[in-house]
Amino acid sequence: MLLLAVFCCLLYTLLVPSSAQSDSNQPVIQLRLAGEKKKHYEGRVEVFYNGEWGTVCDDDFSIYAAQVVCRELGFTGAESWLPSAKYGKGEGRIWLDNVHCTGSEKSLAHCESNGFGVSDCKHSEDVGVVCSSKRIPGFKFIRNQANSQEGLTVQVEEVRIRATYSHRKRIPITEGFLEVKDGGKWRQICNEDWNQMNSRVICGMQGFPGEKRFNTRPYKLLASRRKKNYWGFSINCTGNEADLSDCKLGREIEKKGNSTCGKGMPVVVSCVPGRVFAPSVSIGFRKAYRVEQPLVRLRGGAMIGEGRVEVLKNGEWGTVCDDNWNIRTATVVCRELGFGSAKEALTGARMGQGIGPVHMNEVECYGFEKSLTECYFNPNSLGCSHEEDAAVKCNVPAMGFHNRLRLSGGRNPYEGRVEVLGERNGSLVWGTVCSDSWGTMEAMVVCRQLGLGFASNAFQETWYWQGDSSADAVVMSGVRCSGTELTLEQCLHHGKHVVCPKGGGRFAAGVSCTMTAPDLVLNAQVVEQTTYLEDRPMYALQCAHEERCLSGSADKADPSSYRRLLRFSSQIHNNGQSDFRPRASPQSWVWHDCHRHYHSMEVFTHYDLMSLNGTKVAEGHKASFCLEDTYCDEGIQKRYECANFGAQGITVGCWDTYRHDIDCQWIDITDVKPGDYILQVVINPNYEVAESDYTNNIMKCRSRYDGHRMWTYNCRTGGTLSSETEETFPGLLTNQLSHR
């Protein structure tokens, strides 16, 4: 009897993981996260017990219980938990109800509850959790029930593609032996049960849209010479998973020392990079992925591979509603755009609100579609607003961009003097960037390269930040960026011949970064509906004349003569994620007699009338504004008001209206001849304040003038039409302004 007890005890020790060994009377369970996910580290909590998968009821569930679940799955902790079957209704038994945890338990089985299978709940009460994305260092996956293989998901600490020595200097690494980190050690996977769908998932995790075939001979030769350390399981992916943790665990691999995986070798994975990350020497990659007119795009994201999802339909860009939006559908978007699988499917306009129509709602993808436009959606579903715009964050390849740039001397990691790794006298050294021509666009690229979001400020003097004294020398000058580059090196600059009259030191370039930014959009419909002509005598325009709101010919005009003014209203919305605030401090604001208030931005908009080929015909007028919340969406409080030297800005969800009947809200067309023209308005034209999207800062209308009346029609905001349609509006697509 004693021997039997000892044998049972030893068997329990072998079968049960360390996380469940504290009490020999506790039942043994296995966990997984299931359901309609928006990220791979969240889902409906499912428990394998007594040979059957079941769910957990949300009654009395708490963040402490969520912590226990997440740690048992190998995550460092829990962020939140969600009741009422937020990840869909489960099936089978409801194993646990009225769960009470202190948070220190090693397993959910150790928490107090009604007991296994004792529940009065329905599956509409299934609980879900959101875990931290970080894994527990050294976490070891243990399958603690022999018959739990079916449906058990893969839980490992980390995954990597390990390149051979000859390929290690290539960036990005697209091919090599697959290794998983389990129990703090890197291990290979036996390829006896490996298939193409598994490779597809691995490539997606590494930031690549697809997998490809490769030459196995050199890898067989390498594998025969290397000591191998195999992971104890095979893997079964269907191919539409966004992450390995969503794949099912395969059969157990019998460990036989050097004879393990006797019929095979370690898994090798070869991936195809997207067009943005393809090696420049491989022109074939670029040709294969070049799309003249994409059907899907991302807008409003700080990093490459993230943003609000927009689709092109009937020549017009529109958004996608977040109903049923999940990580599988988001992965189709990411792969279509040349990225890997999705890290997260975002809902609730987390990347800012779009404009124009909502083209798709209730989208459902299988995961193998070539484009989001091939997925099923409900064309009859109405009532979605831009507050429900869907967005994505995609996996992108590790390019090492952040290793060639750093911020030094700032009060926090989001600000500092910009220091780059540059070549000097034949060796790589850290140095500063000349601040001549340094502005918001250059700062945007720096923040993106470092993964710090958007730029909030660009600094041309950084004497107040004590940088690394060994990096004071200027190694980069003449930097001019369009704002879309991935690295500062991709911007125009002087190269090896550094020219910086100011020198470095106190005049070195600096930045401050932020994870959110405003996004100003002019309401094109309001402009179209409010445009009209007014003839006004010069004696009534003295104030406006002093503020340079009239064309040059007004300087010599007779006081009794009239000026012909093209008037319209401006309604400027902030659709971004943070308030639009002027860069200038209140002490430097300028008082304007015409408007009887302070202007916080001297050049906030450009008003122009142009010929059809883009030549200005009415002398451009640079309008300065006092920024305030005129109206706000329901439930949003006004924060900014011009009166009494109040704080200026535009709150997220609010708009600033400059009515057509106030001074300077016009273009002086006195000298313009009858004909067809383009009316253009550009907001924040000098990029003085950083925004998440500058393409929608420009608005153009077609205008016809017969010498007496002006017809304004077809008003469009930049970036809302396909490139073919926008050929009739020069510059509308790219917002290319003459001063850049």
Side-chain angles (χ1 to χ4, degrees), residues 82 131 223 257 286 312 315 328 337 356 368 400 489 565 603 612 671:
L82 296 105
C131 298
R286 294 185 180 276
L312 186 65
R328 188 170 59 248
L337 294 173
F368 295 99
E489 285 180 342
L565 308 174
V603 180
L612 296 183
D671 307 316

Side-chain angles (χ1 to χ4, degrees), residues 662-683:
I662 65 172
D663 265 356
C664 297
Q665 192 57 36
W666 62 58
I667 297 175
D668 183 355
I669 65 163
T670 306
D671 307 316
V672 173
K673 296 176 181 178
D676 289 318
Y677 299 101
I678 293 173
L679 166 63
Q680 175 178 282
V681 179
V682 184
I683 314 165

Side-chain angles (χ1 to χ4, degrees), residues 50-102:
N50 202 22
E52 188 181 348
W53 284 100
T55 62
V56 178
C57 182
D58 59 16
D59 290 351
D60 294 339
F61 202 84
S62 67
I63 190 66
Y64 302 111
Q67 295 280 9
V68 173
V69 167
C70 292
R71 284 201 304 270
E72 194 168 354
L73 286 166
F75 299 101
T76 54
E79 291 181 359
S80 62
W81 64 278
L82 296 105
S84 307
K86 287 291 191 299
Y87 297 100
K89 296 178 183 179
E91 296 176 347
R93 302 279 295 274
I94 297 175
W95 277 128
L96 293 171
D97 187 10
N98 297 113
V99 178
H100 292 269
C101 301
T102 64

Side-chain angles (χ1 to χ4, degrees), residues 40 133 135 154-163 173 176-182 185-189 194 198-208 231 235 237 242-247 267 269 271 395 398:
H40 67 84
S133 60
R135 307 287 304 191
V154 178
Q155 300 297 334
V156 291
E157 190 181 334
E158 207 176 328
V159 179
R160 73 180 181 188
I161 296 174
R162 190 179 183 196
I173 292 172
F177 288 106
L178 173 66
E179 295 187 340
V180 296
K181 197 174 189 182
D182 185 44
K185 293 182 179 178
W186 288 103
R187 303 174 190 276
Q188 300 87 39
I189 294 177
W194 194 259
N198 295 348
S199 294
R200 174 179 162 88
V201 173
I202 296 297
C203 288
M205 290 176 67
Q206 301 299 313
F208 305 113
W231 193 50
I235 292 168
C237 300
D243 193 87
L244 191 64
S245 61
D246 292 322
C247 295
V267 165
V269 174
C271 306
N395 285 312

Side-chain angles (χ1 to χ4, degrees), residues 461-716:
E461 287 189 37
T462 51
W463 52 268
Y464 37 80
W465 284 330
Q466 202 64 43
D468 188 338
S469 58
S470 65
D472 280 345
V474 176
V475 295
M476 197 175 194
S477 64
V479 182
R480 299 292 292 271
C481 304
S482 68
T484 59
E485 297 88 350
L486 299 182
T487 68
L488 207 60
E489 285 180 342
Q490 291 175 1
C491 300
L492 289 171
H493 59 95
H494 289 153
K496 293 180 182 178
H497 305 288
V498 175
V499 180
C500 190
K502 287 183 185 176
R506 63 173 292 169
F507 294 110
V511 300
S512 62
C513 306
T514 176
M515 294 310 292
T516 58
D519 181 21
L520 297 188
V521 182
L522 182 69
N523 189 323
Q525 196 175 3
V526 168
V527 173
E528 189 169 325
Q529 292 171 349
T530 59
T531 308
Y532 65 96
L533 294 181
E534 182 195 11
D535 289 338
R536 200 162 193 189
M538 270 299 295
Y539 63 77
L541 293 169
Q542 282 189 348
C543 182
H545 191 203
E546 287 172 14
E547 290 196 17
R548 313 303 301 168
C549 296
L550 302 174
S551 62
S553 63
D555 294 342
K556 300 173 183 177
D558 188 274
S560 61
S561 64
Y562 282 75
R563 307 300 296 180
R564 179 155 289 180
L565 308 174
L566 174 61
R567 284 187 173 274
F568 52 89
S569 295
S570 291
Q571 188 184 96
I572 298 162
H573 293 243
N574 182 359
N575 287 354
Q577 298 166 273
S578 63
D579 294 355
F580 185 94
R581 298 295 310 275
R583 195 172 67 176
S585 61
Q587 293 77 19
S588 60
W589 294 354
V590 179
W591 174 260
H592 281 251
D593 278 333
C594 283
H595 298 156
R596 307 302 297 169
H597 56 223
Y598 285 94
H599 284 183
S600 55
M601 289 181 70
E602 205 48 44
V603 180
F604 181 62
T605 55
H606 280 178
Y607 298 152
D608 290 300
L609 194 69
M610 305 185 301
S611 65
L612 296 183
N613 66 7
T615 307
K616 289 181 184 179
V617 293
E619 200 162 314
H621 160 49
K622 298 178 180 180
S624 52
F625 270 42
C626 167
L627 303 172
E628 67 176 1
D629 297 327
T630 312
Y631 299 102
C632 295
D633 289 331
E634 190 176 343
I636 297 176
Q637 198 75 28
K638 293 182 184 179
R639 298 180 62 185
Y640 304 106
E641 190 175 5
C642 292
N644 303 318
F645 197 52
Q648 293 194 25
I650 307 175
T651 306
V652 175
C654 298
W655 55 94
D656 186 4
T657 301
Y658 258 52
R659 284 173 50 88
H660 55 81
D661 53 2
I662 65 172
D663 265 356
C664 297
Q665 192 57 36
W666 62 58
I667 297 175
D668 183 355
I669 65 163
T670 306
D671 307 316
V672 173
K673 296 176 181 178
D676 289 318
Y677 299 101
I678 293 173
L679 166 63
Q680 175 178 282
V681 179
V682 184
I683 314 165
N684 192 16
N686 298 337
Y687 313 112
E688 193 175 317
V689 177
E691 297 184 47
S692 60
D693 187 0
Y694 285 110
T695 60
N696 55 21
N697 280 31
I698 191 167
M699 187 229 63
K700 296 194 179 190
C701 305
R702 295 297 295 267
S703 299
R704 175 162 289 179
Y705 178 47
D706 68 356
H708 306 285
R709 290 168 296 177
M710 178 77 80
W711 288 270
T712 304
Y713 59 99
N714 258 6
C715 290
R716 293 289 183 178

